[in-house]
Amino acid sequence: AEGEPAKLIEGGVINDDELRKVRITHAELESAVGANGDQLSDVETVELFPNGRISITPRDPDQLQRIESELHEIRALLEAR
């Protein structure tokens, strides 16, 4: 649809089909994300708009810490059995 952004990364996963459609390489994507001070592994979504604007949404670092904390608690519970 006109005006809809191409979702180049969604849920932290690179969308190769979308990259091909907009003729962007992995290296160019990595470069664009790097220019924003992020790494591909830090990014949740990257959207490319028809006007050329790129929207980058970083992963939530707090979410990662909460998950690691919960895993630690689960391990402790399992070891306590």
Side-chain angles (χ1 to χ4, degrees):
E2 191 69 7
E4 283 294 305
K7 295 187 186 309
L8 305 182
I9 298 181
E10 195 165 17
V13 179
I14 295 173
N15 186 336
D16 288 314
D17 289 341
E18 287 292 316
L19 283 183
R20 272 193 294 279
K21 278 185 205 166
V22 297
R23 295 184 170 89
I24 290 179
T25 65
H26 276 242
E28 289 168 329
L29 178 63
E30 203 164 347
S31 176
V33 169
N36 197 49
D38 293 309
Q39 295 177 351
L40 289 181
S41 58
D42 299 332
V43 170
E44 183 68 22
T45 60
V46 174
E47 295 175 314
L48 174 65
F49 290 84
N51 65 6
R53 188 172 73 83
I54 291 182
S55 168
I56 299 173
T57 307
R59 288 182 192 265
D60 177 5
D62 296 338
Q63 183 181 11
L64 192 58
Q65 286 176 336
R66 281 195 300 276
I67 291 169
E68 286 173 352
S69 170
E70 287 170 17
L71 282 174
H72 184 74
E73 288 173 23
I74 291 168
R75 277 194 205 100
L77 286 171
L78 290 173
E79 288 168 7
R81 286 183 169 177

